[in-house]
Amino acid sequence: MRVGILGCGYVGLALARQLADDHEVIGVRRSEAGLSAVAETGVEAVQADVTDADALDAVPDVDALVFAASSGGRGAEAARRVYVDGLRTAIEAFGARDDSPDRLVYTSSTGVYGDHDGDWVDEKTPLEPTTEKTTVLAEAERIAREVAPEHGIDGAVARFAGLYGPDRYRLERYLEGPVTEGYLNMVHRADAAGVVRFMLTETDADLLLAVDDEPVDKWEFADWLADECGVERPPKRTKAERLDDDLSEAARRRILTSKRCSNDRLRESGYEFDYPTYREGYREAIETYRGRQ
């Protein structure tokens, strides 16, 4: 199978490595600077902007597309340009080809659920985005699942929990604190990529939550991490205490948003995690930290 990864960044590079032995992979980046990282995985690197249909002509025909482009952490307007306009552009550009893709996997976020006061959510839970950006992500999901089929492409969504892994362990945030109460829903980069690979090669599911087995209380996680690293447990604060700070409206909404994400459907589909919980996922980072002490 030939797979095109549009936005071959943090997760896309890991996915390229997972697919490279058995499949032909094309990793697409917007900037020339990112192409060397793609080439280092051993796959073909192509420069193209997902929002530019003419630029996408540089990408060869593929059997499957992964849309993992990033808006660079910028605001809702930039997110819309990439996730909505870019996704639609890619679908239309590849769908118009004589040899169009059979499958599209769009990588979304569990942020589309909004606040559920700590209750469990799954693939059947209605979406209630609470910010402009998560509203954009929900719209992009609709495009992937409804518009892609109009162009002859089977559209699917992998909904990622909070990503962590190499270069994104953020140990200092939790070891130094203060840590605000709430739940963490996480997935290691290797498993985020693994879920996408699974959706390309082993299941026809059109929606899966990519989240590990154990959503965890932030205070509990921070204390566990401190104990494992051999340091003092960090200071804590409640949501009310955190909200006393001078925060943007978007930041306030993030703090007030609480949920636990279930991976039952993913597990029942047959996916096996490399890092089923944060305990396995943070082991390498903890050993590195302790080795520096």
Side-chain angles (χ1 to χ4, degrees):
M1 179 171 60
R2 177 181 276 186
V3 180
I5 304 174
L6 304 181
C8 195
Y10 190 66
V11 173
L13 292 169
L15 175 62
R17 294 187 190 98
Q18 291 184 17
L19 291 171
D21 286 345
D22 300 312
H23 305 279
E24 186 178 352
V25 181
I26 298 96
V28 180
R29 294 286 287 265
R30 179 175 57 241
S31 68
E32 185 176 353
L35 296 181
S36 59
V38 176
E40 286 171 7
T41 68
V43 307
E44 181 180 351
V46 174
Q47 183 179 3
D49 186 332
V50 296
T51 64
D52 185 340
D54 292 336
L56 289 173
D57 287 343
V59 183
D61 289 344
V62 294
D63 303 302
L65 272 179
V66 176
F67 193 96
S70 169
S71 64
R74 293 168 288 175
E77 184 177 341
R80 176 167 293 280
R81 182 170 181 271
V82 174
Y83 301 133
V84 172
D85 300 340
L87 179 58
R88 188 183 292 275
T89 296
I91 289 170
E92 292 174 352
F94 283 90
R97 296 185 179 190
D98 292 336
D99 190 6
S100 60
D102 298 315
R103 178 83 155 159
L104 162 75
V105 178
Y106 166 68
T107 62
S108 186
S109 164
T110 56
V112 295
Y113 286 114
D115 180 35
H116 286 266
D117 198 26
D119 284 346
W120 287 91
V121 300
D122 60 18
E123 289 84 355
K124 296 179 181 178
T125 305
L127 303 189
E128 298 178 11
T130 57
T131 67
E132 290 182 29
K133 187 168 183 179
T134 53
T135 299
V136 167
L137 295 177
E139 172 64 8
E141 288 195 10
R142 186 195 68 79
I143 291 170
R145 298 174 69 190
E146 297 180 12
V147 176
E150 294 173 1
H151 294 267
I153 303 171
D154 177 29
V157 172
R159 198 175 280 159
F160 291 165
L163 292 167
Y164 75 98
D167 302 319
R168 288 198 189 181
Y169 288 110
R170 303 180 179 92
L171 290 184
E172 289 74 15
R173 172 189 296 182
Y174 296 106
L175 294 179
E176 297 174 5
V179 179
T180 303
E181 67 180 323
Y183 283 107
L184 285 172
N185 297 277
M186 296 187 284
V187 64
H188 192 282
R189 176 177 70 171
D191 283 309
V195 171
V196 177
R197 174 191 50 75
F198 183 71
M199 295 180 77
L200 292 172
T201 63
E202 298 184 51
T203 179
D204 60 0
D206 70 343
L207 174 63
L208 288 174
L209 265 66
V211 60
D212 70 18
D213 290 346
E214 192 174 332
V216 61
D217 178 274
K218 291 180 182 178
W219 290 358
E220 178 184 332
F221 171 73
D223 285 347
W224 172 85
L225 190 60
D227 292 347
E228 292 294 310
C229 288
V231 300
E232 260 187 61
R233 292 183 172 185
K236 319 290 195 307
R237 59 183 168 187
T238 65
K239 291 184 178 183
E241 291 169 333
R242 179 73 175 96
L243 291 170
D244 282 340
D245 295 344
D246 185 16
L247 301 172
S248 68
E249 183 59 28
R252 294 178 67 86
R253 288 179 180 177
R254 283 195 297 270
I255 291 167
L256 291 171
T257 296
S258 180
K259 60 185 175 294
R260 285 174 287 174
C261 298
S262 168
N263 69 6
D264 286 352
R265 179 181 290 183
L266 179 62
R267 280 293 198 181
E268 290 165 2
S269 297
Y271 182 76
E272 296 185 6
F273 281 83
D274 289 332
Y275 302 98
T277 76
Y278 61 88
R279 296 178 187 85
E280 297 84 8
Y282 270 82
R283 182 55 48 197
E284 180 181 354
I286 291 167
E287 290 173 357
T288 300
Y289 182 89
R290 293 189 68 107
R292 296 198 304 261
Q293 304 307 300

